[in-house]
Amino acid sequence: MQKVNGLKKRLQKAARIVPLLLLLLLLGVWLSDHGMGIPCVFYSLTGLQCPGCGVTRMTSALLKGDFSAAYQSNAAVFLLLPVFFFLGGYIVLHWLRTGSWALPRWADVLVAVCAVILVLFCVFRNAAALGWI
């Protein structure tokens, strides 16, 4: 019985959090579409694009069905979206079932691989913009 009560509490918590996250995402896209994008602290300080630069524009383009513009906004995140959705879904389902955020080793490795890909993308995107390659 306690396991069912724990699941019920986690479902109630998710039902409050998920709509809020979706609302924040849509607000960010709306702001970006109206010329008030979310400023990037990394870009403001260095003049270089971080691995996440362009994600709001990418999301906006995806919502409009413009896959080419989405890819051009941030190619790495665009290509990793299926992996992110899979991991996000797995993490949420794992938390709902167990109440634990601890992930299996394979998920940790997949997150690390994604992080390395994003850092390399950042380095190469900035090196190309600066004419280094």
Side-chain angles (χ1 to χ4, degrees):
M1 186 66 168
Q2 186 173 353
K3 197 172 193 178
V4 173
N5 286 338
L7 175 61
K8 186 176 179 180
K9 285 181 182 181
R10 288 189 295 276
L11 283 170
Q12 289 171 341
K13 188 181 243 185
R16 288 189 308 266
I17 293 172
V18 169
L20 178 62
L21 292 175
L22 289 174
L23 182 65
L24 288 173
L25 173 70
L26 291 175
L27 176 64
V29 169
W30 183 83
L31 287 171
S32 177
D33 283 348
H34 290 82
M36 299 174 280
I38 301 167
C40 176
V41 174
F42 184 82
Y43 182 79
S44 297
L45 293 175
T46 66
L48 301 172
Q49 293 186 356
C50 76
C53 280
V55 169
T56 307
R57 289 187 307 275
M58 180 197 74
T59 304
S60 177
L62 284 174
L63 289 173
K64 295 172 187 169
D66 189 350
F67 295 102
S68 176
Y71 178 82
Q72 290 173 356
S73 294
N74 191 314
V77 173
F78 178 80
L79 294 173
L80 288 172
L81 272 179
V83 176
F84 294 153
F85 281 122
F86 170 75
L87 274 172
Y90 178 83
I91 290 167
V92 169
L93 289 175
H94 178 73
W95 173 73
L96 286 172
R97 279 187 307 215
T98 66
S100 170
W101 291 106
L103 297 177
R105 181 92 171 121
W106 66 264
D108 289 338
V109 170
L110 189 54
V111 169
V113 168
C114 288
V116 168
I117 290 169
L118 290 173
V119 168
L120 289 174
F121 169 71
C122 177
V123 169
F124 284 109
R125 175 166 62 170
N126 287 305
L130 294 171
W132 296 349
I133 56 172

